[in-house]
Amino acid sequence: MHNFQARDHFADGAQYIAGRLTKGTSGRTHAVVDPATADEVYTYELAGSDDVDAAVAAAAEAFPGWAGATPGERSDALHRFAGVLADRAEEFAQAESLQCGKPIKLSREFDVPGTVDNTAFFAGAARHLQGQSAGEYTGDHTSYVRREPIGVVGSIAPWNYPLQMAAWKVLPAIAAGNTIVLKPAELTPFTSLLFAQAATDAGIPDGVVNIVTGAGKDAGEHLVGHPAVAMTSFTGSTGVGKRVAEIATATVKRLHLELGGKAPFVVFDDADLDAAVHGAVAGALINSGQDCTAATRAYVQRPLYEAFVQGVADLMASVRLGDPFDPSTDMGPLISHVHRDRVAGFVDRARSYARVVTGGEALPHPGAFYKPTLIADAAQDSEIVQSEIFGPVLVVLPFDSDDEGIRLANDTPYGLAASAWSRDVYRAGRATREIKTGCVWVNDHIPILSEMPHGGYKASGYGKDMSAYSFEEYTQIKHVMFDNTAVVRKDWHRTIFGDR
């Protein structure tokens, strides 16, 4: 059984502004529900526009001092931050599993250690924010490039990976010298608040990291449109991302969007079938399928198609659903009953045009559980193939030629992630070049690492999380030019006045 008591941890409220927890002032409350039991575990006051204003003001006040710190000073603070997170790893894992319903083994072995590693990475990266080397490109001047922080960042994170998404937003921003106001999802505020508290306890100054927990229409839109916010980073659905872009554009903000996905899983006929079956089940069911990079569309070359369908169905049937705090549980519930019913709706509508091979039903349980589901014989243009379901549902379709497999993989509006399965290095190499996604795995699906960028093509957004590439989102570039001649009257002046 878990021992994380949210009411005790956040008795002072679910907003974290200028280094302390406070209550929201919107006049409305929200209940965090354990999706595994349907029990309310914490009720808090939602943030309103006044809370957003206070958080932005705190971030703006902290910005000059934090931006003026040396790279070494910011690096040292982030190293201490990583140490605090590591010391509190079990607390974070318990809180993440309670609010999300994800298996404790996933929280302990994926979400939390990944976040600690990400923090340690940015502690080192904070020292490597150089511009280009100086040079005399005109012959008479020395030019160099400064990389500078942007200012106050206003970020919005989703509910599927609350801890990791908080880290992906906060860490590159503050490592580059910015300050930040983060709005987590109302459903899952716990680990974002713990993350901000850990930053304070590590010695990061008050106001550098702030959390406002409120509704998207209120707190979220006010944060994105705030005139003192210089940049917005958003992770979520493509539909909401379009709205964020509309608001941000009105104030000409820097904008980073990581949006939906519909990842193809392309299995060529020379692939290791067992490896592909195991990879498909793991890639489709991670976090109960609530992952924008999850394997959702398996395209299998016809000689392996039937064996793949049978293998995936058999392995899915062995997956253990149950109490997220039981170490033997493989898959927990979906985030809510509302979301479970949405996923079920996709599957139920697909019964009229496709075959549900296994799963396709909710468990008779108070929690929001839905069985791992495999669907076959759907058309490429069908809803189940084209739309983001965000649940434990994998659709499998056959293909004949390599050309067809790659064409089908590219045939959705999304372009976040994909995988190709083949023993032929040239075949796999072609897939990595021609599949239009921000990440292509070969003979695996899902692994991420701090050193490599994460971000999409097409309707999956633009910009990168993680890696040194993320600094392109959180810094601005300044050209500085010095005259080296001390000549009063420059030759180019004659183009404006006088003669040579």
Side-chain angles (χ1 to χ4, degrees):
M1 295 296 292
H2 74 88
N3 56 20
F4 182 85
Q5 299 300 317
R7 293 182 181 90
D8 296 337
H9 278 79
F10 309 120
D12 293 328
Q15 319 303 324
Y16 197 81
I17 300 172
R20 65 186 185 92
L21 288 166
T22 65
K23 297 183 186 299
T25 62
S26 70
R28 296 186 295 121
T29 60
H30 184 83
V32 177
V33 175
D34 178 351
T37 64
D39 294 334
E40 293 185 2
V41 295
Y42 179 63
T43 300
Y44 64 94
E45 296 81 3
L46 288 162
S49 58
D50 289 346
D51 304 299
V52 173
D53 290 344
V56 172
E61 183 178 355
F63 174 69
W66 184 247
T70 67
E73 288 168 340
R74 291 198 294 267
S75 176
D76 289 346
L78 284 162
H79 277 299
R80 295 193 301 270
F81 191 10
V84 173
L85 295 173
D87 290 343
R88 299 176 186 176
E90 181 61 18
E91 178 182 55
F92 276 93
Q94 295 266 340
E96 194 78 336
S97 287
L98 175 63
Q99 67 183 354
C100 299
K102 63 181 66 185
I104 192 68
K105 66 179 180 180
L106 183 65
S107 294
R108 285 173 176 160
E109 299 176 33
F110 183 76
D111 297 69
V112 175
T115 300
V116 174
D117 181 77
N118 210 229
T119 309
F121 170 82
F122 278 105
R127 289 180 177 265
H128 299 281
L129 280 162
Q130 300 92 342
Q132 291 181 352
S133 300
E136 286 69 49
Y137 297 98
T138 70
D140 292 335
H141 306 83
T142 296
S143 288
Y144 68 89
V145 171
R146 290 177 55 85
R147 186 181 292 275
E148 298 179 344
I150 295 172
V152 177
V153 176
S155 293
I156 300 176
W159 48 257
N160 58 333
Y161 289 102
L163 176 59
Q164 288 195 322
M165 295 299 98
W168 288 14
K169 301 302 183 196
V170 169
L171 294 171
I174 68 172
N178 303 287
T179 56
I180 188 168
V181 179
L182 172 71
K183 192 198 88 65
E186 307 95 292
L187 297 172
T188 54
F190 297 162
T191 44
S192 296
L193 294 166
L194 292 176
F195 192 72
Q197 288 179 312
T200 297
D201 293 344
I204 293 174
D206 293 349
V208 172
V209 180
N210 306 274
I211 308 293
V212 289
T213 311
K217 284 288 186 181
D218 301 325
E221 293 197 0
H222 190 63
L223 178 62
V224 173
H226 201 291
V229 169
M231 178 204 165
T232 290
S233 177
F234 170 80
T235 296
S237 70
T238 298
V240 178
K242 291 178 180 178
R243 175 60 179 156
V244 169
E246 290 174 0
I247 299 169
T249 300
T251 51
V252 199
K253 285 180 170 51
R254 179 80 67 90
L255 183 60
H256 165 220
L257 298 173
E258 199 267 87
L259 306 177
K262 190 70 178 175
F265 186 102
V266 183
V267 182
F268 296 101
D269 58 13
D270 67 332
D272 182 322
L273 179 61
D274 287 341
V277 165
H278 282 78
V281 174
L285 300 186
I286 185 171
N287 203 34
S288 300
Q290 300 166 132
D291 186 312
C292 51
T293 62
T296 59
R297 299 177 289 138
Y299 296 102
V300 183
Q301 209 150 22
R302 206 169 294 276
L304 297 184
Y305 179 75
E306 293 298 339
F308 179 88
V309 170
Q310 188 61 55
V312 169
D314 290 344
L315 190 54
M316 276 189 172
S318 72
V319 171
R320 298 165 295 185
L321 279 68
D323 177 6
F325 290 93
D326 182 340
S328 67
T329 293
D330 296 322
M331 194 178 98
L334 298 179
I335 189 64
S336 69
H337 287 83
V338 170
H339 186 60
R340 184 197 65 184
D341 293 345
R342 177 183 177 275
V343 170
F346 279 104
V347 175
D348 291 343
R349 290 190 295 275
R351 296 180 196 277
S352 65
Y353 58 78
R355 174 168 57 102
V356 178
V357 181
T358 190
E361 60 181 328
L363 292 185
H365 188 282
F369 291 90
Y370 195 80
K371 289 184 178 180
T373 300
L374 179 65
I375 295 176
D377 305 332
Q380 174 66 14
D381 62 356
S382 62
E383 178 190 54
I384 203 77
V385 174
Q386 292 292 323
S387 298
E388 186 175 31
I389 300 168
F390 224 58
V393 179
L394 177 65
V395 184
V396 58
L397 298 87
F399 70 92
D400 292 304
S401 68
D402 288 16
D403 288 348
E404 182 188 17
I406 291 173
R407 178 181 62 79
L408 292 172
N410 286 328
D411 184 29
T412 72
Y414 300 105
L416 188 57
S419 62
W421 298 73
S422 173
R423 291 184 173 97
D424 185 327
V425 66
Y426 299 105
R427 210 174 199 182
R430 179 192 175 190
T432 65
R433 293 190 302 273
E434 297 186 13
I435 294 176
K436 303 304 181 187
T437 58
C439 172
V440 181
W441 294 285
V442 177
N443 295 325
D444 207 343
H445 194 109
I446 285 296
I448 56 174
L449 63 161
S450 299
E451 290 84 357
M452 290 292 113
H454 175 87
Y457 288 17
K458 303 190 293 184
S460 292
Y462 46 82
K464 300 299 179 184
D465 288 309
M466 299 196 299
S467 82
Y469 290 99
S470 66
F471 286 136
E472 301 302 321
E473 317 305 326
Y474 294 96
T475 57
Q476 50 198 351
I477 301 301
K478 177 185 288 183
H479 170 216
V480 178
M481 178 180 272
F482 284 89
D483 170 58
N484 294 330
T485 66
V487 173
V488 173
R489 188 172 178 181
K490 316 294 188 198
D491 187 58
W492 70 267
H493 291 178
R494 71 181 178 81
T495 63
I496 312 301
F497 61 89
D499 298 319
R500 192 187 291 274

